[in-house]
């Protein structure tokens, strides 16, 4: 029997963002999905402990609520950054279209275009699970309120691209909504209050009526994360250099 692949989920306490470490245990090739700058030391430790080499950093979308660790990981390891072609992540070396495959060792992720929360959102299917970013959350979904968001497209992505996966597919979201860390497609189809029994029009009306609450420092996050969370970009966007690097050190 082959070695089981490595799978680790990290919860960034300050923002509630989830990041994921996946690896082919046989070759040691690893991928980080949606790394957060402040947790980069944790990822390095996990990779060291498991004797992994970072092969790729993958982003589900341009985050507006925390600083990405993609750039720092790229600079530190040489691993290229992959993201959706419409994500606005300018430093990505590989721009993905719907259906493209990201290989690492003998493993592969499949990109699924799921726009709506942002125009460039990608979900990624890997083995028995899907990384949904902020498109599908456990018992919820991301808002369509960020720049370029579109509730109709979000509904279409949720219902046509994610809920069409097999029921047993595990849902690994990009953001915590409660204490639970994983769900499955079958459960979300039946129990997710954003979706169950909702028509497209009802979904759009609910999204439009929701209070518009932008995350703190959204503009800085968007500017910095277009550069993969490059702390020098945070500095350029108005933070002091010390504050820009504080999360990382
Ligand atoms: Fe988001």
């Amino acid at each position: 029997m082959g070695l089981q692949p490595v799978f680790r989920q990290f919860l960034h306490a300050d923002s509630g963002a989830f990041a994921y470490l996946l690896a082919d245990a046989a070759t040691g090739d690893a991928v980080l999905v949606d790394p957060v700058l402040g947790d980069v030391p944790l990822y390095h430790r996990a990779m060291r402990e498991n004797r992994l080499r970072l092969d790729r950093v993958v982003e589900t979308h341009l985050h507006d609520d925390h600083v990405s660790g993609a750039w720092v990981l790229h600079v530190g390891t040489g691993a290229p950054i992959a993201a959706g072609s419409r994500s606005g992540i300018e430093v990505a070396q590989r721009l993905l279209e719907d259906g493209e495959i990201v290989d690492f060792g003998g493993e592969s992720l499949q990109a699924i275009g799921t726009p709506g929360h942002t125009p460039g959102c990608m979900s990624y299917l890997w083995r028995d699970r899907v990384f949904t970013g902020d498109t599908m959350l456990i018992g919820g979904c991301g808002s369509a309120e960020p720049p370029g968001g579109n509730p109709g497209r979000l509904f279409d992505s949720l219902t046509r691209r994610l809920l069409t996966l097999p029921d047993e597919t595990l849902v690994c979201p990009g953001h915590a909504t409660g204490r639970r860390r994983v769900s499955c497609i079958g459960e979300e189809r039946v129990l997710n209050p954003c979706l169950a029994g909702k028509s497209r029009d009802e979904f759009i009306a609910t999204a439009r009526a929701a209070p518009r609450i932008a995350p703190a420092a959204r503009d800085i996050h968007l500017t910095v994360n277009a550069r993969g969370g490059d702390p020098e970009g945070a500095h350029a966007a108005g933070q002091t250099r010390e504050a820009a690097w504080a999360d990382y050190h």
Side-chain angles (χ1 to χ4, degrees):
M1 200 172 83
L3 286 169
Q4 286 298 306
V6 174
F7 172 76
R8 286 274 305 272
Q9 182 189 53
F10 298 86
L11 173 63
H12 182 243
D14 291 348
S15 67
F18 285 127
Y20 298 91
L21 172 67
L22 332 172
D24 180 333
T27 66
D29 291 299
V31 163
L32 277 162
V33 179
D34 285 343
V36 179
L37 183 63
D39 282 351
V40 164
L42 295 182
Y43 311 143
H44 278 307
R45 190 166 72 205
M47 288 190 285
R48 254 195 328 272
E49 286 170 358
N50 289 279
R51 296 188 179 161
L52 305 177
R53 183 188 68 84
L54 189 62
D55 191 54
R56 194 86 54 163
V57 180
V58 174
E59 295 273 42
T60 56
H61 66 293
L62 182 63
H63 305 283
D64 68 359
D65 63 341
H66 63 267
V67 179
S68 168
W71 182 252
V72 161
L73 285 158
H74 165 66
V75 170
T77 68
I81 300 166
S85 64
R86 300 190 61 213
S87 64
I89 300 172
E90 298 156 5
V91 295
Q93 287 83 16
R94 180 159 177 209
L95 295 175
L96 298 165
E97 303 294 341
D98 177 49
E100 284 197 54
I101 303 292
V102 176
D103 292 314
F104 56 107
E107 299 285 330
S108 58
L109 292 173
Q110 182 184 354
I112 304 173
T114 50
H117 171 60
T118 71
C121 281
M122 281 284 178
S123 298
Y124 298 97
L125 186 63
W126 177 61
R127 290 178 168 248
D128 61 352
R129 58 202 67 193
V130 61
F131 304 98
T132 55
D134 289 348
T135 300
M136 179 179 281
L137 305 175
I138 298 175
C141 63
S143 83
E145 197 263 335
N150 181 313
R153 297 190 80 189
L154 178 58
F155 183 82
D156 294 341
S157 293
L158 287 160
T159 56
R160 295 182 192 169
R161 305 309 309 275
L162 295 177
L163 289 187
T164 49
L165 294 169
D167 275 2
E168 59 273 21
T169 309
L170 298 174
V171 173
C172 300
H175 209 280
T177 45
R179 298 170 73 92
R180 293 185 53 200
R181 288 178 163 235
V182 68
S183 174
C184 69
I185 290 293
E187 177 179 334
E188 296 307 320
R189 180 182 296 109
V190 174
L191 295 180
N192 191 317
C194 296
L195 296 167
K198 284 260 171 66
S199 70
R200 191 174 192 274
D201 287 346
E202 287 169 336
F203 182 89
I204 293 170
T206 303
R208 293 217 166 114
R212 292 179 168 263
I213 305 167
R218 165 182 273 173
D219 290 346
I220 288 181
H221 289 140
L222 291 174
T223 302
V224 172
N225 288 337
R227 298 176 54 170
D230 175 7
E232 290 302 317
H235 175 55
Q239 289 191 352
T240 65
R241 193 173 297 270
E242 291 70 27
W245 281 94
D247 275 346
Y248 179 52
H249 287 291

